[in-house]
Amino acid sequence: MFVTVFFYVGSVVVVMLTHWIYRWRNPKCNGALPPGSMGWPLLGETLQFFAPNTTSAIPPFVNERMQRYGPIFKTSLVGRAVIVSTDADLNYFIFQKEGELFQSWYPETFTRIFGRQNVGSLHGFMYKYLKNMVLNLFGPESLRKMLPEVEQASCSALEMWSSRPTIDLKDAAAQMIFDLAAKKLISYESKDSSENLRGNFEAFIRGLISFPLNIPGTAYNKCVQGRKKAMKMLKDMLQERREKARKKQTDFFDYVLTEMERKDTMLTEDIALDLMFVLLFASFETTSLALTLAINFLLHHPAALNQLTAEHEAIIRRRENPESGLTWQEYKSMKFTFQFISETVRLGNIVPGIFRKAMREIKYKEYTIPGGWAVMVCPPAVHLDPARYSNPLDFNPWRWEGIDTNSASRNFMAFGGGMRFCVGADFTKLQMAVFLHCFVTKYKWKAIKGGEIVRTPGLQFPNGYHIQLSKKMNH
């Protein structure tokens, strides 16, 4: 009798388990889903997605499935059904239809570490409200006023670097940009603080794109702890600023406090702190990676270096006083520099995945995207598509001649697209252009040790890229 019952229960369990696995691998849909694999129940293909990538091409996870299934495929990541798009037209459609058919969305693991009230997770009027706040800092008029400060920061950093035997370029660039961003945002000076705010962000970044296992010792746990420490510092600073209010606004923190004190404000302390955290992260990490890659390209492409140098030396020659600082007109005249920056960020693919969520069932060509499913746009697949870029793995800034890259297009989405086009894009370009101006006109350099660029499906880490810097004879 016991054996019969055991056999019966076991049979039921096997049938239920088999049905569950079948349903997992064959989700319901009122049409044809894109081809692909949902992987193992719950786990999906998460492990493959987070596997390190040491190539400069499309991440293997995406590339392998593109070859197998085509430009649009389904998968499952961290327990969530996802449609991955490497199709330029679908990507553009997703960006253009935000708020109508799609909305910004990121996996729970990302939301947990960036904050539930972070700007990327907010929608509608609240998102527009925060975007306008950020444009107060990074809008054209603010950048025009910021230009001398950016130039001074670049010149000071380069002067310091040239006094050292060698520098780790990625680390030095990150410190330079973090110091500038932290000063503009929260009046933070690392040399005057007993606490290492950037160190907490570094811990956060190292585990940002890692398997989301939150137990002591894992990279993800260190990421969570880094965020907690950074957020505590920001909260303490905010409280101190409240107690010692300034009569005149001098940084973004002052502006945020003014907004929070308005009677009709929608800005809570949690939203304000999450906003400051995201702005600090975005302001320095992505730009320092792009600058490191830019210098690497200059070292390996002398024709680009020569033309870039000629453009910036011509700017100096046209001045009445060669020692005067950059003007806004000079900055806007840097035609080849902007081509160089566009090519750097195209090949850099610093943000290789942008997530959205389908608000309802959507028909696209022969496929159906079920409502509630996540969608991941993959810019690298477009940026490295030979049908859209001739010899896409070659560094060729001249390919951008006569092309407007101030907004996203079907073929270029290094700064996102649609209503969520990166509000800090112009700030990034300003920092890179001004740094390159100071760099190529006043200094010469050589690589001492070139580190391997280790890529993951999130950020790229040029490890141990050391250069030796010295002033040019006429400086």
Side-chain angles (χ1 to χ4, degrees):
M1 180 68 178
F2 175 77
V3 174
T4 303
V5 172
F6 181 79
F7 179 78
Y8 175 77
V9 172
S11 298
V12 172
V13 169
V14 169
V15 170
M16 291 176 65
L17 188 61
T18 302
H19 178 73
W20 178 53
I21 293 173
Y22 177 82
R23 292 307 327 155
W24 175 271
R25 293 185 173 179
N26 299 274
K28 289 183 179 180
C29 178
N30 295 323
L33 282 168
S37 170
M38 303 301 286
W40 293 98
L42 301 181
L43 187 61
E45 296 187 302
T46 306
L47 293 176
Q48 297 95 314
F49 179 78
F50 283 110
N53 167 25
T54 57
T55 75
S56 60
I58 300 165
F61 174 84
V62 174
N63 196 38
E64 290 166 10
R65 286 155 183 78
M66 282 174 60
Q67 303 305 318
R68 192 182 310 163
Y69 305 120
I72 305 170
F73 59 88
K74 68 176 182 286
T75 185
S76 176
L77 304 174
V78 291
R80 187 77 183 229
V82 181
I83 300 293
V84 177
S85 171
T86 67
D87 181 273
D89 291 332
L90 176 54
N91 294 347
Y92 189 75
F93 175 75
I94 291 167
F95 287 141
Q96 295 307 307
K97 294 297 182 179
E98 174 145 3
E100 181 183 344
L101 299 177
F102 300 91
Q103 66 180 25
S104 180
W105 173 89
Y106 282 88
E108 173 66 20
T109 51
F110 281 68
T111 304
R112 196 180 304 152
I113 54 180
F114 275 112
R116 298 193 179 280
Q117 301 293 328
N118 82 81
V119 66
S121 299
L122 298 173
H123 311 288
F125 185 78
M126 194 65 201
Y127 169 73
K128 292 177 182 177
Y129 169 71
L130 291 183
K131 181 178 179 180
N132 287 332
M133 282 185 62
V134 176
L135 284 173
N136 183 67
L137 177 68
F138 294 139
E141 285 306 310
S142 296
L143 293 181
R144 187 191 293 262
K145 295 174 185 175
M146 204 186 297
L147 178 59
E149 200 170 347
V150 174
E151 184 177 15
Q152 179 58 44
S154 297
C155 290
S156 298
L158 287 164
E159 180 77 27
M160 181 173 61
W161 297 357
S162 67
S163 68
R164 298 175 179 174
T166 66
I167 58 152
D168 181 324
L169 183 57
K170 165 62 175 61
D171 183 70
Q175 187 66 59
M176 173 188 71
I177 296 167
F178 183 82
D179 286 347
L180 175 63
K183 184 178 179 181
K184 295 302 295 180
L185 288 167
I186 56 177
S187 296
Y188 173 84
E189 300 270 5
S190 57
K191 64 180 184 297
D192 298 330
S193 176
S194 59
E195 296 186 82
N196 185 3
L197 181 58
R198 186 189 157 211
N200 292 326
F201 274 92
E202 291 288 352
F204 170 81
I205 289 161
R206 281 193 292 270
L208 177 59
I209 306 300
S210 59
F211 189 78
L213 186 61
N214 192 15
I215 60 174
T218 63
Y220 185 77
N221 178 259
K222 292 176 182 176
C223 174
V224 172
Q225 296 307 313
R227 171 183 160 80
K228 282 183 179 178
K229 291 176 182 177
M231 288 296 285
K232 183 180 184 304
M233 287 184 68
L234 290 174
K235 188 169 184 175
D236 290 345
M237 290 178 190
L238 183 64
Q239 184 58 37
E240 183 180 346
R241 189 70 63 86
R242 273 175 168 159
E243 294 170 357
K244 301 177 181 177
R246 301 176 180 181
K247 293 181 179 179
K248 184 180 179 182
Q249 289 185 12
T250 58
D251 61 16
F252 193 63
F253 237 162
D254 288 332
Y255 178 69
V256 165
L257 276 171
T258 301
E259 282 292 310
M260 288 175 66
E261 289 168 1
R262 285 173 46 188
K263 289 183 179 180
D264 60 343
T265 187
M266 295 182 295
L267 190 64
T268 65
E269 182 176 298
D270 286 343
I271 294 175
L273 289 173
D274 279 345
L275 178 64
M276 300 304 296
F277 181 88
V278 169
L279 288 177
L280 279 168
F281 163 75
S283 294
F284 88 97
E285 181 58 19
T286 53
T287 308
S288 61
L289 284 165
L291 267 181
T292 304
L293 292 169
I295 303 307
N296 179 59
F297 288 138
L298 287 178
L299 283 166
H300 293 93
H301 298 276
L305 172 60
N306 290 340
Q307 186 162 341
L308 191 71
T309 303
E311 179 171 82
H312 288 278
E313 288 182 342
I315 288 173
I316 294 174
R317 283 197 303 272
R318 287 194 292 266
R319 294 174 182 166
E320 290 185 12
N321 177 10
E323 299 302 318
S324 63
L326 273 170
T327 66
W328 189 252
Q329 185 178 3
E330 288 173 342
Y331 165 66
K332 299 301 283 186
S333 75
M334 298 175 182
K335 181 181 176 182
F336 183 73
T337 303
F338 292 124
Q339 293 175 209
F340 180 87
I341 291 171
S342 294
E343 184 71 348
T344 297
V345 296
R346 179 189 73 85
L347 282 173
N349 288 311
I350 293 168
V351 181
I354 302 171
F355 287 92
R356 296 290 185 266
K357 184 173 73 173
M359 297 169 67
R360 57 179 174 83
E361 184 178 280
I362 299 161
K363 302 286 185 181
Y364 182 80
K365 294 183 179 178
E366 70 268 33
Y367 299 128
T368 297
I369 303 173
W373 275 45
V375 179
M376 189 185 92
V377 169
C378 185
V382 177
H383 293 162
L384 302 177
D385 183 356
R388 298 177 183 276
Y389 293 96
S390 176
N391 300 313
L393 293 178
D394 290 351
F395 180 78
N396 177 15
W398 295 274
R399 73 170 83 240
W400 296 100
E401 193 166 359
I403 298 176
D404 177 22
T405 58
N406 288 321
S407 59
S409 67
R410 280 177 171 78
N411 298 338
F412 185 68
M413 51 193 72
F415 298 103
M419 65 181 289
R420 289 182 185 264
F421 185 80
C422 177
V423 293
D426 288 338
F427 183 46
T428 295
K429 292 175 185 177
L430 178 74
Q431 291 180 96
M432 291 185 69
V434 172
F435 176 86
L436 289 169
H437 172 78
C438 301
F439 191 66
V440 300
T441 57
K442 298 180 180 179
Y443 293 89
K444 56 184 179 178
W445 69 97
K446 61 181 178 179
I448 302 300
K449 183 176 70 173
E452 177 187 25
I453 296 181
V454 179
R455 299 167 185 255
T456 68
L459 295 174
Q460 307 160 25
F461 298 90
N463 294 328
Y465 194 87
H466 290 258
I467 64 170
Q468 188 177 70
L469 204 64
S470 60
K471 281 192 173 182
K472 289 184 175 180
M473 292 301 293
N474 59 335
H475 288 278

